[in-house]
Amino acid sequence: MGFLCASIPRQSSFYLCHSFVNYSGHCNRALTSFYYDSWIGQKSVTPNVNLIESQLLGGTSICLIPPCCLLDFRGLINYMAPLSFVYNNVEDFHAVSRILYTRFWCRLSAISSLPGMVLHLCKLFENLLAHSSFDLFSHMLSLGVKPLDIAFPWLHSAFARCLEVEQVLLLWDRIIGFGDLDLLPILATSVFLFRAESILNAKTETEIQVLLSDISQMKVVPLLQAFLFSESLLI
């Protein structure tokens, strides 16, 4: 197990979004604590997969490797990274990370049709976009662009790799407050609507890809408010 743990910092640093590279050491320490925490596998709302199930020789104890029962380090490090701006203490960092993972983040990697899981969020995004602006939705499809192909990385990362850190934390604060990941597809839909005029004027798939390739300067609160409080939408 020591070999597996030793590989975590190398893996996580490689996949860490460039915005958080200066905090990689802090993130790696918190991630190692996460890796050893068996509570996570027990409390997660989605099923986990353990790499090795080892029975101690001459005894009855079962050792799960990794103890947290999670192998998706690529996504996890980017979920954890924004918290490095909030928590200087590794113990606090870990305590918050494991709660957020077991309640929210684990849902973004689980293949399940249950409400609140990533498949449900993808479907909700498509429904919201089609309902909000069918012209926009159909125009993209006519150019061979599937809106979900663009939005899925945003949804899967909870926008952690897409927005400035302050905006990510503002979004997550509202997700925690409402206790619901539906804000992710709502925000994704609002981004498309914000760029709707330019998208409708686009003539090629490449033009649309360029328009939506960088959303790092988007502001979360105005986008959510514009969508949720729009008089033209019935949510």
Side-chain angles (χ1 to χ4, degrees):
M1 188 163 69
F3 170 78
L4 292 172
C5 278
S7 70
I8 295 177
R10 293 196 296 271
Q11 294 181 51
S12 61
S13 296
F14 178 79
Y15 290 120
L16 191 63
C17 180
H18 65 84
S19 300
F20 309 117
V21 168
N22 292 336
Y23 295 82
S24 61
H26 193 38
C27 291
N28 286 333
R29 288 189 291 273
L31 185 59
T32 301
S33 299
F34 189 99
Y35 179 88
Y36 276 110
D37 192 345
S38 60
W39 181 91
I40 293 166
Q42 299 167 9
K43 299 296 183 180
S44 174
V45 297
T46 62
N48 292 281
V49 178
N50 52 286
L51 181 63
I52 301 172
E53 199 171 272
S54 169
Q55 186 165 6
L56 298 180
L57 197 61
T60 58
S61 298
I62 297 296
C63 177
L64 298 180
I65 303 176
C68 70
C69 302
L70 175 69
L71 301 179
D72 184 23
F73 301 122
R74 176 178 182 176
L76 180 61
I77 188 64
N78 286 292
Y79 294 140
M80 296 177 70
L83 300 177
S84 65
F85 287 75
V86 181
Y87 300 100
N88 294 321
N89 182 283
V90 174
E91 287 76 15
D92 294 338
F93 192 164
H94 171 65
V96 175
S97 295
R98 72 177 193 165
I99 290 293
L100 288 176
Y101 176 79
T102 55
R103 292 185 183 178
F104 300 111
W105 297 338
C106 64
R107 299 174 181 268
L108 300 176
S109 297
I111 305 301
S112 170
S113 60
L114 293 174
M117 302 299 182
V118 69
L119 294 181
H120 164 80
L121 299 177
C122 291
K123 183 62 175 176
L124 178 59
F125 162 73
E126 291 187 321
N127 289 343
L128 289 175
L129 185 59
H131 172 75
S132 304
S133 179
F134 185 75
D135 289 343
L136 175 65
F137 191 81
S138 59
H139 176 67
M140 294 184 70
L141 292 179
S142 71
L143 295 178
V145 181
K146 297 178 181 178
L148 184 58
D149 287 348
I150 296 173
F152 184 79
W154 307 345
L155 301 176
H156 184 247
S157 68
F159 285 88
R161 294 176 61 89
C162 315
L163 300 173
E164 294 292 336
V165 175
E166 180 183 11
Q167 298 305 310
V168 173
L169 294 174
L170 286 171
L171 172 61
W172 290 3
D173 182 61
R174 282 151 181 80
I175 289 173
I176 294 170
F178 286 101
D180 197 331
L181 287 170
D182 285 357
L183 286 178
L184 296 177
I186 289 174
L187 179 59
T189 303
S190 190
V191 170
F192 277 77
L193 296 178
F194 181 75
R195 294 273 170 87
E197 183 177 354
S198 297
I199 293 173
L200 287 170
N201 289 326
K203 305 299 183 183
T204 66
E205 176 182 353
T206 301
E207 289 182 52
I208 294 178
Q209 296 288 353
V210 170
L211 286 169
L212 296 168
S213 62
D214 182 7
I215 62 169
S216 60
Q217 301 306 309
M218 297 281 187
K219 303 300 181 184
V220 165
V221 174
L223 285 171
L224 290 176
Q225 290 177 337
F227 186 87
L228 292 172
F229 304 131
S230 173
E231 295 181 358
S232 63
L233 298 175
L234 296 176
I235 304 301

